[in-house]
Structure formats: C-alpha cells, structure tokens
Amino acid sequence: MRQLTLVSGKTAVFDTAVVLLDTKSGALASRVVPCRVTFRTLGAQQIERYLRLEQPYDCAGSAKAEGLGIALIERMDTEDPTSLIGLPLIALAGLLRGAGFDVLA
C-alpha cells in the first residue's frame, strides 16, 4: 500500500541489468536498461482493490505490468519493454551479437 501510494501520480525509474560473461576469455559485457514508469494518480480504494486481486508482493514497486498492474500505469518510456518485466531481451540480443553470436542461427 505504501509503495503504490508513494508513486501515485509520479514517475519512477526501474533499472534492469544484464551481463554476458565469456567463460573462455573472461571478458564481460553489460548493459543497464532504464524504464521510466509514470503511474496514474491512484486512490486508496483502487490500490487496496489492486493489492487484493493481484497480490504483487514479489515484484519491484508492487505493480505487475504483465498483469492487472498495467491499469495503474499511465506511461512507460524505455528502449527495451521486456526490461520492466524481467530480463531485457533486446539488450541481451545486442550483447550476444556483439560477442559474435548469431541469435537467429
């Protein structure tokens, strides 16, 4: 309840990172992908109902964008939409290409 009340009507930045390790050479490549999430202005009843229905207690910000939490969000700005839900797949594919892997092979 407290987390969602604090972000109500505000923008929060969620950073998701991915690291690629070449175990032969020890080379590391990494990316941090920010996702700016603007939350709608939320009333206490809306938040309580959402928490009761979704029970999002295991996710950052208490809002599951892949579930009912999307209704709490007004806007998302990111170069990689998969980053908010978990592994930033666009960034990972880029790191793999940079390491010489053809992800479509």
Side-chain angles (χ1 to χ4, degrees):
M1 183 75 180
R2 184 171 180 227
Q3 281 183 326
L4 291 174
T5 300
L6 288 172
V7 297
S8 174
K10 296 181 182 148
T11 299
V13 179
F14 296 89
D15 290 319
T16 303
V18 62
V19 176
L20 186 65
L21 168 65
D22 181 331
T23 57
K24 289 183 182 177
S25 70
L28 286 173
S30 64
R31 287 279 314 276
V32 175
V33 181
C35 182
R36 295 176 51 86
V37 178
T38 302
F39 288 86
R40 295 178 33 246
T41 300
L42 306 166
Q45 285 184 327
Q46 289 172 309
I47 294 171
E48 288 173 3
R49 184 164 192 258
Y50 168 71
L51 292 173
R52 187 174 61 253
L53 292 171
E54 187 80 272
Q55 299 183 11
Y57 305 118
D58 61 342
C59 61
S62 295
K64 288 186 178 182
E66 68 274 25
L68 289 174
I70 200 69
L72 306 176
I73 296 170
E74 183 175 302
R75 176 185 177 94
M76 290 189 293
D77 296 303
T78 183
E79 63 189 58
D80 189 340
T82 60
S83 68
L84 184 61
I85 296 171
L87 183 64
L89 296 174
I90 294 171
L92 176 59
L95 290 176
L96 288 168
R97 283 191 304 276
F101 292 96
D102 182 355
V103 296
L104 295 176

